[in-house]
């Protein structure tokens, strides 16, 4: 067992760790059997996860645990604490009003699980983004009544992105509550998935990054952060590659927004790169590779980068050793694993 005391100089807080209520897993199974929703990306991915394949069975068991098996896995991989969030697509697969009712139940269930192991777990609140008033209310309840530490936005909602102002109540609430929203991938919307699906590139291999990076940029260029300048959005998977594109996004958006070519693209108050440095936080979920992590450290800043494993989807107990050996000072490593998460989630 890896040590999980503080003698290494830091506690490891993993910030994008998935949980699925058994009730939600049952609803996913039901949808896979009945096929009432036209989401080929969901049916492809979850069709595998409810299958008899040994890897799928182990994932299904692990993701529903809020107790002994999860904690044993954390101990085996040297993870001291997990920030838990409802796995994608979460409540966002369902009708918005039904999704709001489900979010309340799942947030209650998550908070109960966290309360049994408060030194090992913290959680983020799910909400139904296309039911804006209820979403804002549920985020507030999750934070102020249940002790959850922010919100989980599981990507687009059946092809709808949240850059439309009619969905901004939840962002207003997040800014007022001073909590972050984690923008997590969803399976690709049906209008986007086909070119990826044929070659198996639709999910975590590449498609997730394309869609989630697109969602993040839609939020950015919409003026969301000019309206809510203190709002903080967390991106996983090394920022879905956006830090790599910092220069070109900034250069091109500056020019495009001045031309008036697009009625919905107006100049922003700040250069695009500033929002990526001041309104987004980053985790390395699913990327146990020092080079892109250290790149974000350099181009975004060391106070905006946090550790994540992406359990159980990418449960690799040996990965932390690679990151422990990164070329960062002991202080920077402690900030990456622990300090930033403590500040961002108020742990
Ligand atoms: Ca994940």
């Amino acid at each position: 067992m890896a040590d999980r005391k503080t003698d290494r100089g830091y506690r490891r807080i993993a910030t994008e760790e998935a949980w699925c209520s058994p009730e939600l897993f049952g609803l996913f199974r039901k949808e896979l059997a009945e096929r009432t929703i036209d989401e080929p990306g969901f049916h492809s991915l979850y069709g595998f996860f409810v299958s008899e394949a040994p890897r799928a069975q182990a994932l299904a068991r692990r993701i529903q645990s809020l107790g002994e098996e999860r904690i044993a896995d954390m101990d085996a991989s040297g993870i001291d604490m997990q920030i838990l969030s409802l796995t994608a697509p979460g409540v966002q697969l369902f009708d918005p009003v039904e999704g709001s009712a489900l979010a309340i139940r799942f947030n209650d269930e998550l908070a109960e699980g966290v309360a049994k192991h408060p030194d090992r777990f913290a959680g983020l609140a799910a909400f139904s983004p296309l039911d804006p008033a209820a979403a804002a209310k549920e985020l507030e309840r999750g934070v102020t009544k249940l002790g959850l530490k922010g919100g989980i936005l599981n990507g687009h909602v059946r092809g709808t992105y949240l850059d439309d102002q009619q969905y901004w109540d939840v962002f207003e609430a997040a800014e007022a509550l001073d909590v972050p929203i984690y923008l997590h991938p969803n399976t690709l919307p049906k209008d986007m998935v086909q070119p990826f699906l044929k070659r198996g590139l639709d999910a975590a291999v590449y498609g997730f990054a394309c869609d989630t990076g697109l969602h993040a940029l839609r939020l950015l260029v919409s003026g969301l952060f000019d309206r809510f300048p203190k709002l903080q959005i967390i991106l996983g998977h090394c920022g879905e590659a956006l830090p790599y594109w910092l220069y070109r996004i900034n250069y091109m958006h500056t020019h495009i927004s001045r031309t008036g070519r697009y009625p919905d693209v107006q100049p922003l108050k700040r250069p695009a790169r500033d929002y990526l440095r001041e309104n987004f936080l980053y985790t390395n979920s699913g990327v146990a590779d020092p080079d892109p992590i250290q790149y974000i450290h350099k181009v975004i800043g060391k106070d905006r980068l946090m550790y994540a494993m992406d359990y159980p989807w990418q449960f690799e107990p040996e990965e932390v050793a690679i990151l422990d050996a990164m070329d960062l000072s002991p202080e920077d490593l402690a900030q990456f694993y622990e300090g930033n998460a403590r500040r961002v989630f108020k742990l």
Side-chain angles (χ1 to χ4, degrees):
M1 184 188 295
D3 72 298
R4 63 176 199 88
K5 303 293 183 220
T6 52
D7 56 2
R8 71 174 96 91
Y10 46 82
R11 298 182 86 226
R12 296 190 191 95
I13 302 173
T15 57
E16 189 207 291
E17 315 309 306
W19 167 71
C20 188
S21 163
E23 182 187 354
L24 180 60
F25 206 80
L27 291 170
F28 287 167
R29 274 188 192 282
K30 184 165 179 279
E31 169 54 30
L32 287 158
E34 296 175 0
R35 302 232 166 196
T36 61
I37 298 167
D38 185 15
E39 285 283 356
F42 171 80
H43 290 119
S44 171
L45 187 67
Y46 274 89
F48 172 72
F49 289 132
V50 303
S51 74
E52 301 295 321
R55 173 170 157 78
Q57 296 271 307
L59 282 166
R61 197 185 64 246
R62 284 193 158 104
I63 203 168
Q64 295 178 70
S65 170
L66 274 181
E68 286 175 20
E69 178 166 18
R70 184 179 290 265
I71 288 172
D73 286 345
M74 290 164 67
D75 289 343
S77 48
I79 303 300
D80 298 285
M81 190 171 204
Q82 287 190 342
I83 310 295
L84 297 161
S85 48
L86 193 66
T87 198
V91 304
Q92 295 172 209
L93 187 65
F94 308 101
D95 164 83
V97 173
E98 184 189 357
S100 288
L102 291 171
I104 290 170
R105 293 218 288 283
F106 299 151
N107 289 336
D108 286 344
E109 191 180 344
L110 178 58
E112 281 173 28
V114 168
K116 287 178 187 155
H117 304 281
D119 58 329
R120 307 306 298 275
F121 298 144
L124 302 180
F127 53 87
S128 179
L130 301 197
D131 190 4
K137 196 174 157 196
E138 182 56 12
L139 179 66
E140 183 179 8
R141 187 187 78 96
V143 172
T144 62
K145 301 285 198 298
L146 301 179
L148 299 172
K149 304 299 183 184
I152 178 71
L153 171 58
N154 276 311
H156 70 88
V157 189
R158 295 206 215 171
T160 297
Y161 298 85
L162 298 200
D163 49 295
D164 190 320
Q165 295 189 24
Q166 65 178 305
Y167 305 124
W168 286 5
D169 291 19
V170 75
F171 295 127
E172 183 176 14
E175 188 192 50
L177 292 161
D178 190 24
V179 295
I181 301 281
Y182 204 120
L183 175 54
H184 187 278
N186 192 356
T187 52
L188 303 191
K190 64 180 177 184
D191 290 344
M192 183 174 179
V193 72
Q194 289 304 336
F196 292 82
L197 208 49
K198 175 177 166 56
R199 297 290 187 185
L201 295 169
D202 52 303
V205 58
Y206 187 62
F208 286 179
C210 297
D211 185 56
T212 314
L214 171 68
H215 199 158
L217 287 178
R218 286 182 63 145
L219 296 179
L220 191 162
V221 305
S222 72
L224 174 69
F225 302 106
D226 287 340
R227 176 85 71 83
F228 306 115
K230 292 180 186 161
L231 177 64
Q232 298 293 318
I233 303 287
I234 306 174
L235 295 173
H237 317 102
C238 283
E240 315 296 0
L242 295 183
Y244 180 82
W245 291 101
L246 202 61
Y247 183 91
R248 201 160 204 233
I249 288 166
N250 190 72
Y251 180 94
M252 285 298 173
H253 182 263
T254 300
H255 289 277
I256 290 166
S257 63
R258 286 173 184 158
T259 64
R261 279 169 64 198
Y262 304 91
D264 293 326
V265 181
Q266 302 301 324
L268 299 169
K269 287 185 181 170
R270 292 177 274 157
R273 65 171 170 255
D274 287 13
Y275 300 93
L276 286 165
R277 286 179 171 143
E278 294 163 11
N279 294 98
F280 288 89
L281 297 148
Y282 300 80
T283 83
N284 76 305
S285 55
V287 183
D289 182 352
D291 284 334
I293 295 170
Q294 289 173 228
Y295 181 76
I296 293 174
H297 199 265
K298 183 178 170 187
V299 303
I300 299 292
K302 63 182 180 180
D303 59 340
R304 298 204 149 255
L305 177 61
M306 298 182 284
Y307 170 67
M309 176 176 272
D310 210 355
Y311 179 94
W313 306 118
Q314 204 164 327
F315 174 45
E316 297 291 345
E318 305 312 315
E319 282 187 351
V320 291
I322 299 169
L323 304 181
D324 286 348
M326 282 193 294
D327 186 20
L328 295 181
S329 72
E331 293 76 20
D332 287 355
L333 206 55
Q335 192 174 7
F336 166 70
Y337 271 121
E338 179 178 14
N340 289 335
R342 285 202 182 283
R343 184 190 79 243
V344 168
F345 299 108
K346 303 192 188 90
L347 301 173

